[in-house]
Amino acid sequence: MNKRNFCATSAALVGMLFLGIGNALAQQERADAVFLNGRVFTADTRSSIAQAFAVKGGRFLAVGTAAAIRRYIGDGTKVIDLRHRFVTPGLADGHFHNEGGGRGIDLSQSRSLPELLAIVGAAAKKAQPGEVIVSNNDWHEAQLKEKRLPMARDIDKVAPNNPVVLVRGGHEMILNTAALKKWNITNDTASPDGGEISKGADGEPNGEIFDNAKQLVQLPPPAPVTIEDVLTTERKLNAFGITSVRIPGSYRGNLFDDYKLLKQARDSGQLSLRFVVYLPGFGTRDPARIRDMIVNSGLKQDEGDDWLKIGGVKLLVDGGFEGGHMSKPYVEPYGKGGKFSGLTVVPPQNFTAVVKEINQLGWRVATHAVGDAAIDEVLDAYEAANAETPIAGKRWTIEHAFVERPEQLARMKKLGLILSVQDHLYLAAPAMKKYWGMARASEVTPVKTYLDNGFLLVGGTDSPVVPFNPFWAIYHFNTRDTISDGIYGADQRVKSRATLLRMFTINYAKMIGEEQTKGSIEAGKLADFAVLTDDILSAPAKKLLKTKALATYVSGKEVYRDTRFR
Ligand SMILES: [Zn+2]
């Protein structure tokens, strides 16, 4: 600060002191709206609970007791009686692709194999001969009574003539026999590097393929994403009090087209959800390709505003539930006699080169790593990049970090890494038990360990892999209960609901570098908040599974309201 600025600042400070408290109150600003008589979780440094707050010009003007906030009421001020309702800062999903659904067949509501196959059969009846039938990806076999995948032979019974591709989550597809034929996947097709073609007991492909093997299948191009898709996403998320999402490399279509659309929505004032978008580096092995992608995008690290911002580059090193790269083999038969310990989707030397290149270009990296061996690969690369140009303090992340080893924690800490965690275990516990055994499955996403070690931890869902309901994630982290298989790893329960809420509010703001303007209910910050059906801090755990927003506000503007509110 130069001398002149310093003088001006001191003069202003002295002036403010001379105003005196009583005088200041008499002259103080009038709020656009005040919210009184609530139970307001502020997520400030002490996780204080306030009674009331005032909003003006899209920001919080003051937070405090109802009596203190009443003083901001003027002629035009809207007065809202919260009637002891619980208020949270707007919730954020730290790892969100889209809300599920789509134009494929919808398997998300099936609860048994016959139900699922009936849906496929009905689609086959309506299809033209030879037409490819594709499913949406927001389902998982753990939701089915049988807790197993439909295989090629099951699908053949209901769809013998059309190629069928059941897309599941982000890593896996199941093909029927017609689809295996169409893409020439036979007994002789070798599993590609970083991918897997599953074989049945007879040694023939059974229809399940994952990770890089998916590249053998060329699906019909999806219909272009439209503004209406963006509006649908925000409507659905606002109803759960969500006001911010971070898109790790893929939303609905091509990320760059999606980004243009999001920009258009922002510029026309149609956003009611704030977006941070990561560029799709995924499994890129060649640093020159990454450089081209970044340069050709014409985008800059951190460009954007409060509504839409570029966060960095998303990379990936291993598979998901069926391909997470572990230091110890999968349990049998998936361990293939101790030989299968998951997939290396990008070989370590390539990954390191790509990470270094991104760092040299001044960009931030977020990497998907599920197994502990994948975390080793990430740490080696991040450390190599850090040796060239420091990354500590630049908010680099590991996404998921399902399984860690204690000695990795210190390495992560040293790099200042932020961990982005989700509730996959809640949905997919039986699948993880099947692949990794109960002991390892019980350690998946060790939220308590990460918190105890002082990590900045950000919550999310990986929707559509797991449904986007943030209260399910809070419930799961609080109880370690799962949808269909009871408690996994009770020692990882996080008892403090306030700590969990912070993972979806202020911690998110810190991860995206906006803790000065977002993430808590404090004077001067953007007025993003939600009134909820339940008190997250004290409601019985099971109640969280039914929690929703009664009203959601972004920049002080109501973007969602339930009929039960007011
Ligand atoms: Zn993801």
Side-chain angles (χ1 to χ4, degrees):
M1 191 184 293
N2 65 33
K3 199 171 173 200
R4 200 209 222 132
N5 280 343
F6 178 74
C7 289
T9 311
S10 331
L13 278 174
V14 171
M16 278 158 71
L17 287 174
F18 272 102
L19 256 178
I21 305 278
N23 218 354
L25 286 176
Q27 294 177 7
Q28 86 195 335
E29 291 178 88
R30 301 303 178 198
D32 296 337
V34 295
F35 293 77
L36 306 173
N37 309 319
R39 198 166 132 71
V40 181
F41 176 75
T42 60
D44 66 5
T45 48
R46 290 168 298 128
S47 289
S48 325
I49 302 293
Q51 263 183 340
F53 55 91
V55 173
K56 186 184 173 79
R59 291 180 183 264
F60 294 113
L61 178 62
V63 186
T65 62
I69 297 303
R70 276 184 191 285
R71 298 190 191 120
Y72 293 89
I73 300 175
D75 288 343
T77 305
K78 253 195 196 170
V79 180
I80 292 127
D81 186 349
L82 289 165
R83 295 187 205 138
H84 310 289
R85 296 288 195 188
F86 185 83
V87 177
T88 176
L91 300 171
D93 192 322
H95 188 117
F96 171 89
H97 297 281
N98 60 63
E99 72 280 11
R103 294 171 182 85
I105 54 174
D106 176 10
L107 306 178
S108 68
Q109 304 305 314
S110 334
R111 292 296 176 261
S112 70
L113 274 175
E115 268 179 54
L116 181 146
L117 292 170
I119 294 168
V120 179
K125 282 219 176 77
K126 275 196 273 170
Q128 303 296 320
E131 183 185 332
V132 179
I133 296 167
V134 184
S135 78
N136 293 335
N137 66 353
D138 54 345
W139 65 281
H140 191 277
E141 64 272 23
Q143 79 196 36
L144 306 176
K145 200 174 78 207
E146 297 82 357
K147 297 194 181 24
R148 74 163 179 91
L149 287 170
M151 304 313 277
R153 282 185 188 151
D154 301 311
I155 307 171
D156 290 346
K157 285 183 197 140
V158 294
N161 302 317
N162 293 80
V164 174
V165 181
L166 305 184
V167 184
R168 202 224 60 196
H171 295 268
E172 167 141 352
M173 291 173 173
I174 305 100
L175 281 60
N176 68 349
T177 301
L180 289 168
K181 274 210 188 100
K182 180 176 170 69
W183 285 289
N184 228 334
I185 300 171
T186 69
N187 215 353
D188 302 326
T189 315
S191 288
D193 200 14
E196 187 78 10
I197 300 167
S198 293
K199 305 260 168 87
D202 57 2
E204 297 283 331
N206 59 17
E208 181 194 25
I209 61 173
F210 50 93
D211 288 297
N212 287 347
K214 291 189 307 173
Q215 291 162 14
L216 299 169
V217 175
Q218 290 83 41
L219 293 180
V225 185
T226 65
I227 275 266
E228 195 47 48
D229 292 306
V230 176
L231 303 186
T232 302
T233 299
E234 28 183 64
R235 268 196 301 270
K236 290 198 169 171
L237 271 60
N238 288 160
F240 284 83
I242 302 170
T243 59
S244 300
V245 293
R246 177 167 167 268
I247 306 281
S250 69
Y251 169 50
R252 284 212 168 274
N254 172 304
L255 197 272
F256 297 104
D257 294 339
D258 294 349
Y259 181 67
K260 274 184 214 141
L261 213 59
L262 290 169
K263 249 179 149 170
Q264 200 185 316
R266 176 195 64 192
D267 296 344
S268 55
Q270 295 189 83
L271 285 189
S272 67
L273 189 65
R274 304 182 190 278
F275 289 82
V276 172
V277 173
Y278 279 62
L279 306 191
F282 293 114
T284 310
R285 296 176 173 206
D286 177 0
R289 280 192 59 188
I290 273 287
R291 173 183 280 271
D292 286 350
M293 179 191 74
I294 292 175
V295 172
N296 294 338
S297 75
L299 299 168
K300 296 207 166 55
Q301 173 69 64
D302 292 324
E303 80 168 46
D305 60 15
D306 287 331
W307 288 106
L308 176 60
K309 201 168 89 170
I310 295 294
V313 180
K314 165 77 184 296
L315 300 177
L316 164 156
V317 291
D318 67 344
F321 307 133
E322 50 294 307
H325 187 198
M326 307 281 175
S327 57
K328 295 199 181 87
Y330 284 34
V331 297
E332 296 306 320
Y334 306 96
K336 297 178 184 168
K339 280 194 282 241
F340 186 74
S341 56
L343 297 174
T344 301
V345 176
V346 183
Q349 63 278 19
N350 298 69
F351 181 68
T352 297
V354 165
V355 168
K356 280 181 169 180
E357 184 71 23
I358 297 171
N359 191 36
Q360 286 309 316
L361 292 167
W363 280 66
R364 181 180 301 118
V365 178
T367 307
H368 162 119
V370 161
D372 63 319
I375 292 177
D376 283 334
E377 186 178 346
V378 173
L379 289 174
D380 288 345
Y382 282 12
E383 283 167 356
N386 186 59
E388 290 183 356
T389 305
I391 66 164
K394 292 185 180 165
R395 298 183 275 105
W396 285 36
T397 62
I398 297 179
E399 306 295 312
H400 315 313
F402 279 7
V403 177
E404 46 66 50
R405 299 191 312 278
E407 76 270 17
Q408 292 175 323
L409 300 177
R411 292 175 69 192
M412 295 181 194
K413 273 296 254 312
K414 216 167 165 196
L415 294 167
L417 299 186
I418 299 169
L419 304 179
S420 159
V421 293
Q422 305 81 29
D423 56 337
H424 300 88
L425 182 65
Y426 182 54
L427 172 76
M432 299 191 197
K433 181 167 73 181
K434 183 177 83 174
Y435 293 123
W436 306 331
M438 188 60 187
R440 202 164 8 173
S442 298
E443 290 168 13
V444 162
T445 318
V447 170
K448 183 160 190 305
T449 298
Y450 291 147
L451 287 167
D452 288 349
N453 281 276
F455 282 97
L456 181 70
L457 214 56
V458 178
T461 64
D462 203 5
S463 176
V465 179
V466 183
F468 64 80
N469 187 337
F471 307 110
W472 281 18
I474 291 174
Y475 169 79
H476 168 70
F477 293 151
N478 186 223
T479 62
R480 295 288 288 189
D481 195 11
T482 64
I483 290 183
S484 60
D485 209 26
I487 307 283
Y488 275 55
D491 59 320
Q492 289 297 331
R493 282 179 180 145
V494 177
K495 299 264 166 63
S496 163
R497 302 260 185 90
T499 300
L500 292 171
L501 259 182
R502 295 181 76 87
M503 285 169 53
F504 289 81
T505 54
I506 188 68
N507 291 10
Y508 175 82
K510 288 179 183 169
M511 172 171 69
I512 64 165
E514 297 187 2
E515 68 272 26
Q516 300 303 324
T517 50
K518 288 183 194 144
S520 62
I521 299 181
E522 293 181 271
K525 286 195 175 182
L526 290 165
D528 297 354
F529 60 97
V531 185
L532 303 182
T533 51
D534 297 283
D535 181 338
I536 299 298
L537 300 185
S538 66
K542 286 268 183 214
K543 262 202 123 178
L544 301 181
L545 296 174
K546 298 249 186 288
T547 298
K548 279 195 67 187
L550 287 170
T552 304
Y553 298 78
V554 181
S555 275
K557 188 178 148 205
E558 185 180 278
V559 295
Y560 171 78
R561 176 154 34 126
D562 184 294
T563 46
R564 288 169 286 178
F565 187 56
R566 288 185 280 144

